[in-house]
Amino acid sequence: MGLTRRDWLRAAGALGAAGLAGCTGTGGPDGGGRRTAAPGTGDTTATATPGTPPPTADRSLYLGHAVDHVDENLVSGGVPKDGIPSIDDPTFAAAGETPVADGDPVFGVARNGEAKAYPQYILVHHEIVNDTVGGDPVAVTYCPLTGTAQGFERGETTFGVSGRLVNSNLTMYDRGTDTWWPQVLATGVRGPLRGETLEEFRVVWTTWKQWRSAHPDTQVLTEDTGYTRRYGDDPYGDYNPRAGYYDDGRTLFSPLVTDDRAHPKRVVLGTRTTEGALTFDEPTLLDERVLTGDVAGTEYVAVADAALSTGYVYANPDGLTVTAEDGGYRVDGGTHAADALPLDRSLAFDGMWFAWAGFYPGVGYVR
Amino acid sequence: MSGELSSDGAGVTDRLGALLARTQVAVRGALSRRDGRATLATATVVYLALYLFGLGHLGLGPWGWELSVVADPLARATRVVGPFQWEPVALVVAGPVELLLSPLNVALGTGLAALVGVNLAVSVVAYRGPRACRLGAGAGATAGLPALLSGVACCGPTVLLVVGLQASATVLTVFQWLLPGAVVALVATLLWVGTKVDPAAV
């Protein structure tokens, strides 16, 4: 098994102080963390072109509050802009060369034949990774306080942590236009691109063991981030097993709206469309495998992916029957994998109940 | 009028000078004794450790030996990551102990710890040797209060999770002022001790 950067550094420390300067961080030796060459680019280093906006979508997403209201409720998270530093020069190791425990959460991205895992214990200290996956420049983002991991196309710019929160949610800024983007809303609320919607892609919240089983060739983000942190120390709590902030009934900041239909930290799989938003209770979905709800009169069906302990949501305007069976789901006479039903998929992601309820007052909750 | 102002200004300066002189006497007196020096050393080390622990820069981790430094540490050392918090430039792992080294935070923490240590040293000596100063046991508690205050300040909003308080703009603003407030309180406490010292008895 290869050495991780941390193993390498510890060995180096034991040998003495020789090579002390520059032995970590950007430009340091690889150690065990192997720099991954992105197809067509030769590097994963993310650079931002001043003035260049991130790609935005043609359609807008439903917002449960007016943009003005969201803007007015941006609060300081207690750190300045970039006080939490994004990772702009990520390095990766092979699956067998990481200290990540089997049950630890990772955020998985599979794109254009390339699979990458971003461990939660690293992202809790950075929240944003500006990376290149499958040849595409992307940002993989994580908000510890709302339990949301989301992916965004970044084009020629990069995203940073603004230091502001709304509804406890990470508010990103893009380094091209300095527009502020609450992560869950994926919508600009302050700056030149106010009201615009970011292009998103699915990030799967799962465990390292499950992701590695599904994607044996995956690469995994290393601690060689260019910053030095006590990466084993999560300031908010623990996910393996769940404890601290991630488990208790309190929120650190006041939600935009409080909804007691579920425990504030209950994990729900949510989706939002142009017309509205909808959430599915994730433990119930994993148990029952198929749940249905509706957004503005259109049926949406959620199906479970037991291999990754996650789910996918599809628009089902014709009300086709979706049933679980061995090996997948029966739809319209055929059997399909959870992530490949012959329906229009609606981007969905995990999040804490209070976050979805706060952003989308009165949101449908299927359980 | 200007003469009056000048006269008043000179009076204030004289009084401040006398106060500083008395405080200096008190501090020297305290540090001339073994128990005063021991209190200063112990309080400084313990408080610095608590301060770094509160920042999350000191704690326990997996066993190992490691010394790593970021690239371009001089530039990184001045990067602000929070109110009175700067970017760590090195990680030291010694057995189970992990220490992130942020030079400016170590300097600030050492300054705070020394102030706490001097306060406690003077108070302890005054309590144990009442002939030197006219201080009671209350001085020690008074000196300890701002120390605790600054200890909370260094933890930032994370401490709210521990005490179960919800963050708000007001709370976060208060947090930003806790550390300078604690410094002022510590200096004020030390000067107050100076007013209580009887130079003739030292």
Side-chain angles (χ1 to χ4, degrees), chain A residues 5-7 9-14 16-17 20-28 75-85 226-233 235-236 245 248 250-255, chain B residues 56-73 76 79-83 87-91 93 95 98-101 157-158 160-169 172 176:
Chain A
R5 165 186 164 272
R6 196 160 188 163
D7 293 334
L9 290 169
R10 287 191 175 181
L20 181 147
C23 66
T24 70
T26 307
V75 296
S76 168
V79 296
K81 195 176 190 179
D82 286 324
I84 296 172
Y227 296 89
T228 185
R229 293 288 185 276
R230 293 179 58 229
Y231 282 113
D233 181 45
Y236 304 108
Y245 173 85
D248 68 29
R250 296 174 295 162
T251 57
L252 192 50
F253 293 83
S254 183
Chain B
H57 287 186
L58 179 65
L60 300 177
W63 188 277
W65 301 95
E66 176 178 338
L67 174 60
S68 57
V69 181
V70 298
D72 200 4
R76 279 291 172 81
R79 205 181 84 84
V80 176
V81 299
E87 181 73 39
V89 300
L91 173 66
V93 179
E98 292 185 336
L99 173 64
L100 282 174
L101 271 179
T158 310
L160 298 175
L161 293 173
V162 178
V163 300
L165 193 64
Q166 202 162 56
S168 66
L172 290 174
Q176 291 182 7

Side-chain angles (χ1 to χ4, degrees), chain A residues 254-335:
Chain A
S254 183
L256 285 173
V257 172
T258 302
D259 188 327
D260 60 6
R261 279 181 286 170
H263 185 284
K265 308 295 174 56
R266 182 84 173 180
V267 178
V268 298
L269 178 70
T271 189
R272 62 271 197 269
T273 69
T274 304
E275 292 80 24
L278 182 62
T279 62
F280 298 88
D281 186 75
E282 187 150 283
T284 305
L285 176 63
L286 293 175
D287 186 44
E288 299 187 8
R289 297 190 61 191
V290 180
L291 292 175
T292 57
D294 78 273
V295 176
T298 300
E299 182 177 306
Y300 280 76
V301 58
V303 295
D305 180 345
L308 292 173
S309 295
T310 190
Y312 297 92
V313 177
Y314 297 86
N316 189 18
D318 299 327
L320 298 179
T321 300
V322 178
T323 53
E325 60 178 31
D326 288 346
Y329 294 88
R330 190 83 179 165
V331 185
D332 206 16
T335 300

Side-chain angles (χ1 to χ4, degrees), chain A residues 78-166:
Chain A
V79 296
K81 195 176 190 179
D82 286 324
I84 296 172
S86 62
I87 300 173
D88 299 331
D89 186 16
T91 59
F92 293 85
E97 299 176 337
T98 176
V100 184
D102 281 351
D104 283 356
V106 299
F107 312 129
V109 176
R111 194 177 171 109
N112 300 339
E114 185 174 21
K116 285 186 172 181
Y118 303 82
Q120 181 269 343
Y121 84 95
I122 296 178
L123 259 66
V124 73
H125 292 277
H126 297 282
E127 303 192 358
I128 295 175
V129 183
N130 290 297
D131 196 7
T132 303
V133 183
D136 298 328
V138 298
V140 176
T141 67
Y142 165 58
C143 176
L145 296 184
T146 54
T148 42
Q150 295 170 246
F152 300 98
E153 311 288 343
R154 64 177 175 83
E156 294 178 14
T157 190
T158 57
F159 287 95
V161 179
S162 73
R164 301 298 182 100
L165 302 171
V166 59

